[in-house]
Amino acid sequence: MRVLVTGHRGYIGTVLTPMLEAAGHEVAGIDSDLYERCTFAPGGEMPQVPTLLKDIREITPSDLLGFDAVLHLAALSNDPLGDFRPQTTFDINYEGTMHVARAAKAAGVERFVFSSSCSNYGAGGADFIDETGAFNPVTPYGESKVKSELALAELADDSFCPTFLRSATAYGVSPRIRFDLVLNNLVAWAVTTGNIHMKSDGTPWRPITHIEDISRAFCATLETPAEKIRNEAFNVGVTEHNYQIRELAEIVASVVPGCEVTFADDAGPDKRSYRVNCDKIQRVMPHFKPQWDARKGAESLYAAYKAVDLTLEEFEGPRYQRIGHIKKLIAEGIIDTSLQHTETVRAARKAETVEGITPEFTADAAKVSCISCHHAGLMPVLDLGLMPRSDGLLDKTILDRRESLVPLRLGYCPECALVQLLETRPPEEMFGEDYLYFSSFSEDLLKHSRENALDLIEKRGLGSGSLVAEIASNDGYMLQNFKEKGVPVLGIDPAAQPAKAAKEKGIDTINDFFGTRLAKQLTAEGRHADVIIANNVVAHVADQNDLVAGMAELLAEDGIVSVEFPYVRDLIDFIEFDTIYHEHLCYFSVGSAQTLFARHGLYLNDVRRLPIHGGSLRLTFGKTEQPSDAVKAILAEEAELGLDSYAYYESFGARVRDFREKARALIGGLKAEGKRIAAYGAAAKGTIMLNFLDLNSRSIEYAVDRNVHKQGKYMPGVRVPIDDPQRLKDDKPDYVVILPWNFRDEIIRQQQDFLASGGKFVVPIPNLEIIDR
């Protein structure tokens, strides 16, 4: 389950988050991180999950797209803070909560688990109170929780399941320790002064629960069917763990050596007193198994405090006292009186994250050698995060398995100017038995390829005595044009299924990877190619030097090599980040391609810019150097634009992140309006687009694709189901995102009925365009 935790960097959140991960959930967090300066070392490491630093009062539906559940912890969570600014407490704890809940519902989140409190019962007396007991809050904090519960209940319906966990008073060690909680506080007094001085008579009752057990309750809620917990409240704790405050003091005194309990002369009862029955959660969620009690908790706290030699000054100082810390942040201009970060702090935070180039990314890039010239040390360009195999479509039978995720990061070689990936996957994994890309399903690609083939036949005078070899020949979509005209052909492709399809068309095809090994085998058989075609393959091969050397080996002395690949200039200029995936190891400029081929005696003699695939190059190489005017002109253009310098690429990451923010805002806004959204084209670029935008089947209901081999499967990572395009006519979603935007015109031509019925297309690249009739 994909789970978002608000307040994940707080007292409970830092304990809950790793517990959720250990249970197999995919976890992210939202937190304004007011207490980032308050980390308590004995509590352990701060959890590292994808984090949005944001105040809950500013959350939008786009922030919550794709999540199955929101666990809402974020709040001002102690009584002194509530009393300090009661209106701010309501603004955050009630208005903020409802703001998050409405955004979650609009974004299609199914479960909303609200961290409520037994403070709702307030002055409940000595009798046990269960979930049917009357609310009687006596503080702004308790009042805000009660009001939130009542309002959240009104949002419940078949698609939105709010659940209320009324936790007993928490205790326990955390990376973000709180000393204002009764057991934590008593142990701290005992350790730092040797005395627990009671200002009340110690008779009030209080249920207490360890933060790990509170976290277990949240985990148990996620594992419980929604119909059992929809609009239900649960007291979180153990019925037997209701204590009078003086009992807790005596437990602490027995744990901390040399400690004694004393009472103030005027000690009287605390008006907050309640005993809570926690049997319901055990009945409904028998898998919820609390593991702590007061004595075990006191012993753990004592050990943690001693580990850092906790002093009275630290214990009572602003680092660990919530209200003292908040007052200090206001005085220093870090937050304002509404407890939001000031504009100066926000600007500094944004500057730290906007480029997305971390010191770790820079260090990792420096360890990588160039795939072409082998220069040691790349420069960082773009980090797209962890990605699945872009063409690794999933069968329904394996949806419960975890996918292999590999970082997708782009770097720049300062030596030969080649833009390339830092990491990739084994070719056998990417182009194996389940590789289902078939070029013949695209009408525009077939037309483009046929025009290219006929042009080559005419200009090169190809006939029955010629040989055209194609590397990465797929299902024979290109070579069939030569065969039709009586020109002998040879296809070479490592992917079994497309190669089989080509053979069934009568295309002579070798199912293998191409390089010097295979080239020498072919020339030993007396085969030399008059034309070698390598469209959208050079960038796919890890050993590019072996690939190009193989071309030089197989090519006849007067032959040509014709290659096509996306142009890095268009990639950068039009933010075409979704053409970056593990199969594409690098992204060429004319200059970087010329350098690679010249290394093996193949000279660039002609160049054409093509509109296909969002902007491509067709380069022609031969064994004799005869550069055309077009070659000279485009090389001069690249030099003037600076394609051979890092400066051309270094702002790319910020522009891609800006696109992500706008695209998610668009989809979030449509979802908030109740619009249904599907996608067209389960292409590799679609995998990257949806995974980077974090849009799964909760946001994009399904995708359609003409490729029958893909229908019935699921897109990698996001698990969006793939269907026949006919579904758009039958189902009539409001919007369809065209994922293979490079074939937008073809798709729009095919789907005129969808437009005529009132549907609209979203074309993401380059301008987030909406197309209607």
Side-chain angles (χ1 to χ4, degrees), residues 142-172:
E143 290 169 3
S144 70
K145 292 294 185 179
V146 168
K147 192 172 182 180
S148 295
E149 279 199 32
L150 296 174
L152 287 169
E154 295 179 3
L155 295 181
D157 57 29
D158 290 343
S159 64
F160 190 67
C161 173
T163 304
F164 316 111
L165 297 186
R166 297 174 186 164
S167 298
T169 300
Y171 67 89

Side-chain angles (χ1 to χ4, degrees), residues 547-622:
L547 174 74
V548 177
M551 292 181 188
E553 174 72 24
L554 182 60
L555 188 66
E557 285 302 310
D558 60 349
I560 65 162
V561 176
S562 176
V563 302
E564 289 183 16
F565 37 64
Y567 192 11
V568 73
R569 178 174 168 183
D570 293 311
L571 165 71
I572 300 299
D573 289 354
F574 300 111
I575 326 175
E576 297 171 355
F577 67 91
D578 56 340
T579 60
I580 301 167
Y581 36 94
H582 293 115
E583 290 94 323
H584 289 176
L585 308 184
C586 59
Y587 302 84
F588 287 101
S589 62
V590 176
S592 59
Q594 180 188 45
T595 300
L596 168 63
F597 279 77
R599 195 177 296 131
H600 302 283
L602 294 175
Y603 300 100
L604 177 61
N605 290 328
D606 200 14
V607 58
R608 282 184 63 189
R609 292 188 69 176
L610 307 167
I612 197 164
H613 298 309
S616 295
L617 292 171
R618 180 182 294 155
L619 305 182
T620 303
F621 297 90

Side-chain angles (χ1 to χ4, degrees), residues 75 149 212 248 252 316 392 528 569 598 605 659 661 720 724 758:
E149 279 199 32
E212 285 186 9
L248 293 175
V252 171
E316 291 203 296
H528 290 85
R569 178 174 168 183
N605 290 328
F659 169 86
E661 186 174 323
V720 171
D724 187 287

